[in-house]
Amino acid sequence: MDSIIKKKKMNGATKRFIAICTIPTFLLYAIFVLYPIVNMFALSFVKWNGLLGQKTFYGIQNYKILFTDDSNFWPAFGNTVYLIIVVTIVTFILAILFASMLAKSKIKGKSFFRIVFYIPNILSIVVISSIFYMLYSADYGILTPIMKLFGKEYTGVLGNPDSVVNAIAIAMMWQAIGYYMVMYLAAMDSISDELYESAGLDGAGKLSQFFNITLPLTWQVVRVTLTFFIISTINMSFLFVKAMTNGAPDGASNVLLVYMANQRSAGNFGYAMAIGSILFVFAYGLALVVNKLTSKDPLD
């Protein structure tokens, strides 16, 4: 009987200790994450310049203007979706390909290649944007003499509405590949070599081993990174566009976060919050869909 009472007291003390440890974390999460999200949605229904003046309840007018009257919103939304799709697919393919080449291969200097691939991720976005801005420049970029070798004139890609988004996508992929490659490498290094040796003895080739051993055993990491791709592409698109073009030419390279920031700077704070709300719902919904579609374990 005494042991049961002591056990209940211990359980009660453990629960209080857990509560004491988690309450500060929950408060910080509520203050810095939940409150800004709720406040963003609330402000999307007002008309306000963001600094002074009275907040005027505007109802759903911000959203009505956004979907029906704003000719700049949908191109910015399309660029955001395009970057999410293209950057995710290409970065994922190249990152997992390079990781597979380095993980179980006998290439000399593998540590060197790991460091080299990861270097772009530790560079400032401003530095990377400057590098690619100079690379793309028609005046002193390396592409100008290359195009001259083929007898063609190079006029630049950042000033061309048809190529500017692809140019930004290349810079984003160059920055991200090494980061995800290291994540995949860590997962692949934990796979036992005996599995590959057994598969080799059974006649399985490298491609078959990748799809039947490597990919299934790293699938959970892949699932996590797919969500990372969505969030990071949205955030990084803002930084790269802001640093390289600021939406030029004529808004052709605008993405939703840049457009939202420009609306905020123009004094349309409530309208900017409406754009942010749409982006939040889209990103969260897309992440849920991706998680649902990839929830089945390939090993099953």
Side-chain angles (χ1 to χ4, degrees), residues 229-251:
F229 278 125
I230 297 170
I231 299 171
S232 64
T233 301
I234 292 173
N235 292 332
M236 289 298 165
S237 65
F238 168 78
L239 298 174
F240 276 98
V241 170
K242 202 69 178 173
M244 295 178 70
T245 64
N246 198 27
D250 298 325

Short mmCIF file of all heavy atoms in Angstrom, two decimals, residues 229-251:
data_model
loop_
_atom_site.label_atom_id
_atom_site.label_comp_id
_atom_site.label_asym_id
_atom_site.label_seq_id
_atom_site.Cartn_x
_atom_site.Cartn_y
_atom_site.Cartn_z
N PHE A 229 11.77 21.98 -48.15
CA PHE A 229 11.85 22.59 -49.48
C PHE A 229 10.78 23.67 -49.65
O PHE A 229 11.05 24.76 -50.15
CB PHE A 229 11.67 21.53 -50.58
CG PHE A 229 12.91 20.77 -50.90
CD1 PHE A 229 12.93 19.39 -50.85
CD2 PHE A 229 14.07 21.43 -51.27
CE1 PHE A 229 14.08 18.67 -51.16
CE2 PHE A 229 15.22 20.72 -51.58
CZ PHE A 229 15.23 19.34 -51.52
N ILE A 230 9.56 23.35 -49.25
CA ILE A 230 8.44 24.29 -49.40
C ILE A 230 8.68 25.56 -48.60
O ILE A 230 8.59 26.68 -49.12
CB ILE A 230 7.12 23.62 -48.97
CG1 ILE A 230 6.82 22.42 -49.87
CG2 ILE A 230 5.98 24.63 -49.00
CD1 ILE A 230 5.67 21.57 -49.38
N ILE A 231 9.02 25.39 -47.32
CA ILE A 231 9.20 26.55 -46.43
C ILE A 231 10.42 27.36 -46.84
O ILE A 231 10.36 28.59 -46.95
CB ILE A 231 9.33 26.07 -44.97
CG1 ILE A 231 8.06 25.34 -44.54
CG2 ILE A 231 9.60 27.26 -44.05
CD1 ILE A 231 8.16 24.65 -43.21
N SER A 232 11.54 26.67 -47.07
CA SER A 232 12.79 27.39 -47.37
C SER A 232 12.72 28.08 -48.73
O SER A 232 13.26 29.18 -48.90
CB SER A 232 13.98 26.44 -47.33
OG SER A 232 13.88 25.44 -48.33
N THR A 233 12.06 27.47 -49.72
CA THR A 233 11.96 28.09 -51.04
C THR A 233 11.16 29.38 -50.96
O THR A 233 11.52 30.39 -51.58
CB THR A 233 11.31 27.14 -52.05
OG1 THR A 233 12.10 25.94 -52.15
CG2 THR A 233 11.23 27.78 -53.42
N ILE A 234 10.08 29.38 -50.19
CA ILE A 234 9.29 30.60 -50.02
C ILE A 234 10.13 31.69 -49.36
O ILE A 234 10.13 32.85 -49.80
CB ILE A 234 8.03 30.31 -49.19
CG1 ILE A 234 7.07 29.42 -49.99
CG2 ILE A 234 7.33 31.61 -48.79
CD1 ILE A 234 5.88 28.94 -49.20
N ASN A 235 10.86 31.34 -48.30
CA ASN A 235 11.68 32.32 -47.60
C ASN A 235 12.86 32.79 -48.46
O ASN A 235 13.15 33.99 -48.54
CB ASN A 235 12.20 31.74 -46.29
CG ASN A 235 11.09 31.50 -45.28
OD1 ASN A 235 10.07 32.19 -45.31
ND2 ASN A 235 11.26 30.54 -44.40
N MET A 236 13.56 31.83 -49.07
CA MET A 236 14.74 32.18 -49.86
C MET A 236 14.39 32.95 -51.13
O MET A 236 15.17 33.78 -51.59
CB MET A 236 15.52 30.91 -50.22
CG MET A 236 16.22 30.28 -49.05
SD MET A 236 17.45 31.37 -48.32
CE MET A 236 17.75 30.57 -46.75
N SER A 237 13.21 32.69 -51.68
CA SER A 237 12.80 33.43 -52.87
C SER A 237 12.71 34.92 -52.56
O SER A 237 13.07 35.76 -53.39
CB SER A 237 11.47 32.90 -53.40
OG SER A 237 10.42 33.15 -52.48
N PHE A 238 12.24 35.24 -51.37
CA PHE A 238 12.18 36.65 -50.97
C PHE A 238 13.57 37.26 -50.91
O PHE A 238 13.80 38.35 -51.45
CB PHE A 238 11.51 36.76 -49.59
CG PHE A 238 11.64 38.12 -48.96
CD1 PHE A 238 10.84 39.18 -49.38
CD2 PHE A 238 12.58 38.36 -47.97
CE1 PHE A 238 10.97 40.43 -48.81
CE2 PHE A 238 12.71 39.61 -47.39
CZ PHE A 238 11.90 40.65 -47.83
N LEU A 239 14.51 36.56 -50.29
CA LEU A 239 15.86 37.10 -50.13
C LEU A 239 16.58 37.25 -51.46
O LEU A 239 17.21 38.28 -51.73
CB LEU A 239 16.67 36.19 -49.20
CG LEU A 239 16.14 36.06 -47.76
CD1 LEU A 239 16.94 35.02 -47.00
CD2 LEU A 239 16.20 37.40 -47.04
N PHE A 240 16.48 36.24 -52.32
CA PHE A 240 17.17 36.29 -53.60
C PHE A 240 16.56 37.35 -54.53
O PHE A 240 17.29 38.10 -55.18
CB PHE A 240 17.13 34.92 -54.29
CG PHE A 240 18.22 34.00 -53.83
CD1 PHE A 240 17.99 33.03 -52.87
CD2 PHE A 240 19.49 34.10 -54.37
CE1 PHE A 240 18.99 32.19 -52.45
CE2 PHE A 240 20.51 33.25 -53.96
CZ PHE A 240 20.26 32.29 -52.99
N VAL A 241 15.24 37.41 -54.58
CA VAL A 241 14.59 38.40 -55.44
C VAL A 241 14.88 39.80 -54.93
O VAL A 241 15.18 40.71 -55.73
CB VAL A 241 13.07 38.15 -55.51
CG1 VAL A 241 12.36 39.31 -56.19
CG2 VAL A 241 12.77 36.85 -56.25
N LYS A 242 14.82 39.99 -53.63
CA LYS A 242 15.07 41.31 -53.06
C LYS A 242 16.50 41.76 -53.34
O LYS A 242 16.75 42.93 -53.63
CB LYS A 242 14.83 41.27 -51.55
CG LYS A 242 14.54 42.62 -50.92
CD LYS A 242 13.20 43.17 -51.34
CE LYS A 242 12.90 44.49 -50.65
NZ LYS A 242 11.66 45.11 -51.17
N ALA A 243 17.45 40.82 -53.26
CA ALA A 243 18.85 41.18 -53.44
C ALA A 243 19.25 41.30 -54.90
O ALA A 243 20.12 42.11 -55.25
CB ALA A 243 19.75 40.13 -52.77
N MET A 244 18.61 40.54 -55.79
CA MET A 244 19.04 40.50 -57.19
C MET A 244 18.22 41.41 -58.11
O MET A 244 18.79 42.05 -59.01
CB MET A 244 18.97 39.07 -57.72
CG MET A 244 19.96 38.12 -57.04
SD MET A 244 19.84 36.40 -57.63
CE MET A 244 20.50 36.56 -59.29
N THR A 245 16.91 41.48 -57.91
CA THR A 245 16.08 42.23 -58.87
C THR A 245 15.06 43.15 -58.23
O THR A 245 14.60 44.09 -58.87
CB THR A 245 15.31 41.25 -59.78
OG1 THR A 245 14.40 40.48 -58.98
CG2 THR A 245 16.26 40.30 -60.51
N ASN A 246 14.68 42.85 -56.98
CA ASN A 246 13.60 43.59 -56.30
C ASN A 246 12.31 43.59 -57.13
O ASN A 246 11.54 44.55 -57.14
CB ASN A 246 14.03 45.03 -55.99
CG ASN A 246 13.14 45.67 -54.93
OD1 ASN A 246 12.57 44.99 -54.09
ND2 ASN A 246 13.00 46.99 -54.98
N GLY A 247 12.08 42.49 -57.83
CA GLY A 247 10.86 42.35 -58.62
C GLY A 247 10.98 42.77 -60.07
O GLY A 247 10.06 42.53 -60.86
N ALA A 248 12.08 43.41 -60.45
CA ALA A 248 12.27 43.86 -61.83
C ALA A 248 12.51 42.65 -62.75
O ALA A 248 12.88 41.56 -62.27
CB ALA A 248 13.45 44.82 -61.90
N PRO A 249 12.29 42.80 -64.06
CA PRO A 249 11.77 44.01 -64.72
C PRO A 249 10.25 44.07 -64.72
O PRO A 249 9.59 43.08 -65.06
CB PRO A 249 12.32 43.86 -66.14
CG PRO A 249 12.40 42.37 -66.35
CD PRO A 249 12.73 41.77 -65.01
N ASP A 250 9.72 45.20 -64.32
CA ASP A 250 8.27 45.45 -64.32
C ASP A 250 7.49 44.39 -63.57
O ASP A 250 6.42 43.95 -64.00
CB ASP A 250 7.74 45.56 -65.77
CG ASP A 250 8.37 46.71 -66.53
OD1 ASP A 250 8.63 47.75 -65.89
OD2 ASP A 250 8.62 46.56 -67.74
N GLY A 251 8.05 43.94 -62.43
CA GLY A 251 7.36 42.97 -61.60
C GLY A 251 7.42 41.54 -62.10
O GLY A 251 6.76 40.65 -61.54
#
